[in-house]
Amino acid sequence: MMKSMQKIAAMLLCVLTLCSCKDDGTPTLDSPTFPFMKVGNQWNYWLVTEEGQTEVSYKIADKTKESYFKVLLQFVEAEFPPVEHFWYADQTSFAMATDWPDSPLKLPMLKKGCKVGDRWSFDVPASPDPDDLSGTLTYEIMAVNTSVDAAGTTYSDVYKIRHTATSHAEFYADYYISLSAGMIKMEGIGYVWIDGDEGGELIYFPLEWRLKSKNF
């Protein structure tokens, strides 16, 4: 079960093979738009599937001068070392999928001042790996400044963002991002590729990340 959950988590939140995209924002001296993006911040989650649950954590380990943040994904019960990811945050946008340090490409999922119905789409080339999302990847704002309960706290500054990909028709991930606390929940339909005698198939299933605790 642990191996399958590790593959599921990596599939959903790993660094994608990204398309070319551009950030037109200009940094300012205002208060941070995404104040949860600070070195040392850590989130602990329950990763829940039909098979059960396991604990995972994200910790911001470092920041570059270009506003990319090294984030370590750790499976708490696993023996292998944390997996490195790079997120992005400046005064105008936040992205959990980037191509850093290979390139400055990123897929923003949340932008300053966004409203319900705003969406950003990116074209990602097809990959020979059936686990990779490709085609048109979209992030759409479904709700703004909504209230969500997580880990014993009510957050009222939450944006609900739906992520979809044309390569995997049944897949979606609804991210609940608090401007003060970061990702407090994710729920949707995940997938895993199962090899078989006839070439294999995609299996879809319900998936959820529940905030257990954070250190800030």
Side-chain angles (χ1 to χ4, degrees), residues 35-49:
F36 58 87
M37 292 299 293
K38 293 181 179 179
V39 174
N41 283 358
Q42 179 172 323
W43 299 261
N44 304 303
Y45 301 95
W46 289 115
L47 168 58
V48 183
T49 71

Side-chain angles (χ1 to χ4, degrees), residues 23 25-27 37 62-70 86-95 98-106:
D23 180 4
T26 301
M37 292 299 293
D62 198 6
K63 178 185 178 181
T64 73
K65 64 180 181 180
E66 297 87 357
S67 297
Y68 290 87
F69 294 77
K70 180 192 291 186
F86 284 89
W87 295 355
Y88 179 88
D90 62 9
Q91 288 296 97
T92 61
S93 66
F94 169 64
T98 80
D99 196 36
W100 191 266
D102 296 327
S103 82
L105 305 180
K106 53 190 175 291

